[in-house]
Amino acid sequence: MDIRRFILSPDFSLRGWKRLPYAIQSISRPVTFFFRENQWELLMCCDGHSPIDWEKLTVTERDQLIKWENSGLIAPCRGNESLAAIQEYRLYPARFKERVQWSITGRCNFKCRHCFMSAPHALHGEPSFGQLMTMLDAFERCGIKGVELTGGEPLIRPDIWRIIDEILRRGMVIPTIYTNGCLVSDGFLDELQRRNIRPSFQVSFDGVGHHDWMRGVQGAEKAVTDALIRCRERGFPTFASMVLCRENVGSIRETVNLLAKLGCLGVKICGASPQGEWLSQREHYLTQPQIFAAFLDYLPHYFEDGLPLSVGLEGFFSYDKFSGTISAFSERNVPENRFGRSLLCADARRGMYVSPRGKVLPCMLMAGGAVEEMFPDMLETPLEEILDSGSFYMDTTDLRVSDFMAHNPECQSCGFRSECCGGCRAVALREFPGDFLAIDPLTCQYFKDGWHERKTALLRDILG
């Protein structure tokens, strides 16, 4: 008789949510894996105690255990081992959310021309520490693992370390801090290291020679480059975002190469949303065709420069240096026979955004406009109710590509329907407030005006 015992890796805990009751979640990262019921029954035997008769297992069950062991999910039990208390099964009273992008303030120490939430005027205010703890308690009750801090500028809060400590005390992790970089000092990094955490920093950088003007503060460019150098020297990962306008659009190549030199791992480049502060800056707008044209002009330089870092060009083009994958957010390529299962916005399934006022939205791009007022306030409505089947929030995030096609019969006859799949909900709502199944006009332009073909032809020439 071949009796074996296995135990779950110490980096994983047993978790479940409404409609997804069988899952494991990393203790150190916001990473979750889901299982079928028969797989779960087998995994439950990997508790360090239960004997597994290898000879009585099916071939499928043996292969499954071998696969889990090879991946590091489980390990052979060497002695009298047990699961730690934190690993024991917990079923959360809400639908699944893995992470939250949390605006802990609506204030900022910069005066950015394009701020969608008008942080220079603190239009969205700043929640009290007590209100933040009410939100954080709700995140914990609903099983949210990753808490990404943003603002406004999150580091201007005098109680930032109390907030960080409360997140960590609840067993959550902080994968990313969104910041303008001005307050990312050696002292701040010292405090992170003292807590044995190493979040990545997502910084704003709006073009070599243009950043001070765009951010409304003299010395902003030096502050962010100094922060990037500091993070590089101390091993903190950094990423950047660049917002395009008429003044800085010619600086893409120089900016990307500088960011790579400063140790940035990736950069996202996009146009400004026509809301908030940007509404009064119309003379600086770029049209979407102008942005697409700028991306086409830059792409050959990106390859000539040796793909210096990962880059995302507003749904137009994306290259991930870690995987070597070329893609585009606008090109979903979902087979039509899967429209009924494919979510209209896949990113909204795992993540959500919470504004300084406690508004719970599918993503940050929906904040700052009229659509934000349609969503619930978690300071007034329990998050468990918001993240429950049949709620307004869940109904909007559960929309399928098939729902979109039924709502837009003209799209059913479009030759790009399987590639487009409705486009971005935030952009669609910006153009058609209140219609969660509206057409995204920017994605329509991308396909119907020939930008997709031009980009594809250019990449074919570059890559052979």
Side-chain angles (χ1 to χ4, degrees), residues 56 117 159 338-339 410 422-423:
K56 290 184 178 180
M117 66 163 53
D159 53 4
R338 291 182 54 195
F339 278 2
E410 66 273 29

Side-chain angles (χ1 to χ4, degrees), residues 276-313:
E277 296 298 289
W278 202 239
L279 287 174
S280 63
Q281 305 287 330
R282 292 185 179 275
E283 68 273 21
H284 305 298
Y285 278 23
L286 287 172
T287 65
Q288 195 61 38
Q290 287 172 326
I291 292 173
F292 286 155
F295 290 161
L296 272 183
D297 288 343
Y298 170 63
L299 272 179
H301 299 306
Y302 180 62
F303 285 92
E304 287 170 15
D305 296 337
L307 311 168
L309 74 175
S310 296
V311 70
L313 306 178

Side-chain angles (χ1 to χ4, degrees), residues 328-334 342-346 401 418-421:
F329 178 80
S330 298
E331 300 169 25
R332 291 187 59 185
N333 299 313
V334 175
S342 295
L343 290 164
L344 199 48
C345 180
V401 176
S418 295
E419 294 172 288
C420 162
C421 295

Side-chain angles (χ1 to χ4, degrees), residues 36-323:
R36 299 184 182 91
E37 187 172 2
N38 62 327
Q39 294 174 315
W40 187 253
E41 291 174 355
L42 183 62
L43 186 62
M44 288 302 94
C45 297
C46 301
D47 58 3
H49 302 291
S50 301
I52 297 174
D53 190 336
W54 196 258
E55 295 174 0
K56 290 184 178 180
L57 295 178
T58 66
V59 172
T60 300
E61 289 171 332
R62 292 180 189 176
D63 289 345
Q64 186 69 79
L65 288 168
I66 292 170
K67 179 180 177 181
W68 288 343
E69 182 181 355
N70 290 339
S71 69
L73 179 63
I74 62 173
C77 209
R78 305 300 183 187
N80 189 23
E81 301 172 59
S82 299
L83 296 179
I86 194 174
Q87 294 182 275
E88 294 176 359
Y89 183 71
R90 182 172 178 180
L91 180 64
Y92 294 106
R95 295 282 297 278
F96 171 67
K97 287 292 172 185
E98 189 172 67
R99 64 188 183 277
V100 59
Q101 193 176 20
W102 189 24
S103 279
I104 59 175
T105 180
R107 296 189 301 116
C108 187
N109 52 349
F110 279 11
K111 300 176 182 178
C112 303
R113 293 176 179 271
H114 60 290
C115 183
F116 68 91
M117 66 163 53
S118 294
H121 306 295
L123 190 64
H124 288 246
E126 182 174 88
S128 68
F129 181 79
Q131 289 173 319
L132 290 181
M133 293 305 101
T134 297
M135 295 186 223
L136 192 56
D137 288 341
F139 298 156
E140 182 184 15
R141 291 196 309 271
C142 293
I144 294 170
K145 186 68 178 181
V147 181
E148 301 177 343
L149 298 179
T150 186
E153 171 51 52
L155 304 191
I156 67 172
R157 287 196 65 119
D159 53 4
I160 183 65
W161 293 114
R162 289 181 67 194
I163 296 167
I164 288 174
D165 287 340
E166 287 292 339
I167 293 170
L168 301 178
R169 185 176 68 81
R170 288 166 170 77
M172 302 175 188
V173 298
I174 305 172
T176 308
I177 296 175
Y178 292 78
T179 175
N180 58 37
C182 182
L183 300 175
V184 182
S185 63
D186 278 316
F188 186 83
L189 299 180
D190 288 341
E191 287 296 317
L192 291 175
Q193 288 184 316
R194 190 171 69 82
R195 289 163 173 80
N196 198 30
I197 60 174
R198 194 172 293 274
S200 66
F201 287 94
Q202 176 82 37
V203 303
S204 304
F205 191 89
D206 294 321
V208 174
H210 301 279
H211 189 67
D212 286 8
W213 174 82
M214 195 72 160
R215 296 287 157 175
V217 172
Q218 193 69 30
E221 185 169 334
K222 184 178 187 308
V224 71
T225 55
D226 287 348
L228 290 171
I229 293 170
R230 195 173 292 120
C231 289
R232 180 192 64 195
E233 291 175 346
R234 301 186 58 167
F236 284 86
T238 58
F239 298 84
S241 60
M242 179 184 183
V243 177
L244 294 179
C245 62
R246 290 184 182 276
E247 286 75 11
N248 70 359
V249 68
S251 69
I252 295 176
R253 184 180 192 180
E254 185 181 4
T255 300
V256 170
N257 289 340
L258 175 63
L259 288 170
K261 182 180 177 181
L262 295 173
C264 258
L265 300 177
V267 60
K268 295 179 181 179
I269 305 175
C270 62
S273 297
Q275 60 192 66
E277 296 298 289
W278 202 239
L279 287 174
S280 63
Q281 305 287 330
R282 292 185 179 275
E283 68 273 21
H284 305 298
Y285 278 23
L286 287 172
T287 65
Q288 195 61 38
Q290 287 172 326
I291 292 173
F292 286 155
F295 290 161
L296 272 183
D297 288 343
Y298 170 63
L299 272 179
H301 299 306
Y302 180 62
F303 285 92
E304 287 170 15
D305 296 337
L307 311 168
L309 74 175
S310 296
V311 70
L313 306 178
E314 197 180 22
F316 185 86
F317 170 87
S318 178
Y319 178 73
D320 184 345
K321 285 205 70 169
F322 302 101
S323 65

Side-chain angles (χ1 to χ4, degrees), residues 49 133 230 271 355 377 403 417 424 449 460:
H49 302 291
M133 293 305 101
R230 195 173 292 120
S355 78
D377 183 341
D403 298 321
R417 59 187 178 274
C424 174
D449 292 355
R460 189 178 295 117

Side-chain angles (χ1 to χ4, degrees), residues 15-17 19-24 32-41 89 91:
R15 296 293 183 259
W17 289 263
R19 294 176 59 172
L20 292 170
Y22 311 127
I24 63 166
T32 312
F33 302 102
F34 295 95
F35 299 84
R36 299 184 182 91
E37 187 172 2
N38 62 327
Q39 294 174 315
W40 187 253
E41 291 174 355
Y89 183 71
L91 180 64

